[in-house]
Amino acid sequence: MMVYDYRQLIGFAAGVAAGVAICQTVQAWTDKSGASFSPPLPPPGREQDPIFLPFADAKDVATPYGNLRNYRLGPVEADRKVLLLHGISTPSIAFKALANALASRGARVLVFDLPCRGGSGGPADLPYDGRLYASLILMALASDNKADWSKFSIVGYSLGGGLAMDFTYWFPQLVEDIALIAPSGLLREKHVSLWSRLVYRSGLIRGEMRKRLIRQRLRITQTKTMEDGTDDFRSSSKPNSTAVDYEMPQQQPPLSTPSPAAPSTQIARAVNYQVDHSHGFIDAFISTLLYAPIYTQQNRWRSIGEKLTARRIEKNTTESQHLRNGLNCGKVILALGREDPIILAEEVIPDAQDALGTDNVHVLLYDSGHDVGITYGREIADDVWDVWTSTESASDKNRDEARHLQISST
């Protein structure tokens, strides 16, 4: 049996993915081949502002796609490594509560700003599709070279949920556990709003006019209700809503200690700074809506479900540790807001169960909207951790029982 060193795989795959993706140009941008957008710099004296530095351990990594800003929390030698993928509009600051809670549990946590969000730059000549995001995930993992990321857990919020599943489809051998918070990926096309069809898809509105319309729609004022970029995936009952509102924290969890998540004003400032000062944010936002794995990814989710079922069966054998190739969890965790107007629990739960298999889905529900990943960041971290550790305990018990039976039979 051939044994792979997945640390070498990460480095090799990152290089290959970067080489392949960098050669794929968007036809409309052929005059910008190889160009990249630089991230906006913070104003002098505000470098330590939480909207620019939400976590202490920040690292800027040079990539073929521009600067990649990532943050590391928790001990390097931790047994559990967790990668966090944020949503379409709010950068890493959205994970302040969740990341700190996971690190306090003893995990090594890696979170990075997606291209043209936060402190990351991004390519000016490539589609912002699953290939680009998968390449950047591999580069982020390779950049934390002090820790062993040959196996890790992945948590995706909103757009990040769709990206997490798309990455897992291609690299299941690297992923141990999956937790999705109000994820994209299974959004139904019928929910695409008329405004989105006209501005993003029709081709009738182009160039600076389209950017101006989107910039006005994205910019947040403190008097508006905050929404996530996925508002542009769904027709809204609130005609004056903006496209980044739903990701914002609109409440504190009842009867709980105040969350360490960034206040809504800080997240609003982070989004507005991107909108006003990032040369690539609007382009990245548009391209992500058009090309990222947001809609109808049932076939890829179904493939992951088949692997999860196989791994769960393997857990009953003494050789499972050698035979299993990632996806140790046996389930995908879905953390959803009961009042989420974008990722409707009554739709995504049956859709996920149909694609993954009912036995492969573990649902967590919270009294929240699409901001659940921010407002309930600490609670989600605790609940997900409990599911992960209980799964590990059950797996250990099954292996011990199988080993005992094998010894008794000899």
Side-chain angles (χ1 to χ4, degrees):
M1 179 182 297
M2 184 176 294
V3 178
Y4 294 96
D5 185 341
Y6 289 117
R7 286 170 290 187
Q8 293 180 355
L9 174 64
I10 291 175
F12 175 75
V16 172
V20 172
I22 202 69
C23 295
Q24 299 163 338
T25 60
V26 180
Q27 188 172 14
W29 292 341
T30 53
D31 59 326
K32 296 189 266 183
S33 179
S36 61
F37 296 111
S38 298
L41 297 175
R46 290 180 55 194
E47 291 82 3
Q48 302 302 312
D49 189 316
I51 75 169
F52 303 115
L53 194 69
F55 304 101
D57 187 4
K59 183 175 182 180
D60 291 315
V61 180
T63 79
Y65 309 113
N67 184 70
L68 183 67
R69 167 68 62 83
N70 61 58
Y71 304 94
R72 297 88 177 274
L73 298 84
V76 172
E77 67 279 3
D79 290 333
R80 182 172 292 277
K81 314 295 192 301
V82 185
L83 172 70
L84 306 182
L85 301 174
H86 64 71
I88 194 171
S89 55
T90 54
S92 295
I93 193 172
F95 278 134
K96 196 165 185 180
L98 193 146
N100 281 304
L102 288 173
S104 70
R105 291 275 196 158
R108 175 68 167 179
V109 180
L110 175 64
V111 54
F112 70 96
D113 289 329
L114 297 179
C116 293
R117 284 82 158 182
S120 290
D125 61 336
L126 299 176
Y128 281 59
D129 59 9
R131 295 168 297 179
L132 172 65
Y133 285 110
S135 299
L136 287 167
I137 289 171
L138 290 168
M139 293 177 191
L141 297 175
S143 72
D144 188 16
N145 52 18
K146 293 182 179 180
D148 178 8
W149 287 89
S150 58
K151 291 288 181 68
F152 61 92
S153 305
I154 190 167
V155 178
Y157 174 29
S158 193
L159 168 68
L163 299 180
M165 292 297 280
D166 192 66
F167 180 86
T168 302
Y169 172 80
W170 291 109
F171 301 102
Q173 70 276 11
L174 300 179
V175 179
E176 287 190 307
D177 299 284
I178 308 167
L180 309 177
I181 306 171
S184 67
L186 299 180
L187 279 164
R188 301 178 183 181
E189 283 279 349
K190 70 178 183 179
H191 293 307
V192 180
S193 67
L194 178 61
W195 194 92
S196 295
R197 295 181 189 275
L198 175 65
V199 175
Y200 294 109
R201 297 185 175 186
S202 70
L204 297 176
I205 303 174
R206 297 175 176 271
E208 290 303 318
M209 178 179 292
R210 179 166 72 162
K211 290 184 182 181
R212 191 178 305 114
L213 285 172
I214 295 170
R215 184 174 286 108
Q216 291 173 353
R217 186 172 173 84
L218 291 178
R219 200 174 196 291
I220 298 168
T221 66
Q222 297 306 311
T223 59
K224 285 183 179 179
T225 302
M226 310 298 292
E227 295 175 9
D228 171 40
T230 45
D231 175 50
D232 278 325
F233 312 152
R234 174 182 301 282
S235 55
S236 174
S237 60
K238 295 184 286 186
N240 296 322
S241 61
T242 69
V244 291
D245 290 350
Y246 284 124
E247 241 176 41
M248 288 296 300
Q250 300 177 27
Q251 61 182 14
Q252 287 294 333
L255 304 178
S256 67
T257 304
S259 169
S264 60
T265 52
Q266 289 187 345
I267 297 182
R269 288 194 299 120
V271 173
N272 285 343
Y273 199 82
Q274 292 176 151
V275 172
D276 294 340
H277 300 283
S278 173
H279 297 297
F281 176 64
I282 300 299
D283 292 278
F285 188 88
I286 295 170
S287 188
T288 298
L289 288 178
L290 293 176
Y291 302 114
I294 294 170
Y295 304 99
T296 58
Q297 297 291 304
Q298 276 82 354
N299 287 341
R300 292 190 175 181
W301 287 47
R302 191 166 290 113
S303 174
I304 295 171
E306 292 169 356
K307 290 183 175 64
L308 288 169
T309 300
R311 301 298 182 264
R312 190 167 59 252
I313 294 172
E314 289 172 2
K315 286 181 179 180
N316 294 322
T317 73
T318 57
E319 297 182 31
S320 62
Q321 282 296 89
H322 303 288
L323 295 175
R324 257 199 331 272
N325 197 14
L327 298 177
N328 298 344
C329 53
K331 290 181 182 289
V332 172
I333 299 173
L334 283 182
L336 306 171
R338 290 188 176 91
E339 301 169 8
D340 191 336
I342 298 169
I343 307 301
L344 302 178
E346 61 268 28
E347 288 186 355
V348 73
I349 293 175
D351 287 353
Q353 289 174 335
D354 179 66
L356 295 168
T358 301
D359 292 337
N360 295 328
V361 178
H362 185 102
V363 178
L364 303 171
L365 289 173
Y366 302 88
D367 292 325
S368 181
H370 195 65
D371 61 341
V372 61
I374 300 172
T375 305
Y376 281 85
R378 177 183 293 173
E379 290 75 11
I380 291 174
D382 291 342
D383 293 340
V384 166
W385 190 273
D386 289 344
V387 174
W388 284 346
T389 53
S390 64
T391 301
E392 288 174 349
S393 299
S395 298
D396 291 341
K397 181 180 179 181
N398 289 340
R399 285 195 296 273
D400 290 342
E401 290 177 350
R403 189 178 298 111
H404 176 72
L405 290 174
Q406 186 183 49
I407 294 172
S408 301
S409 64
T410 57

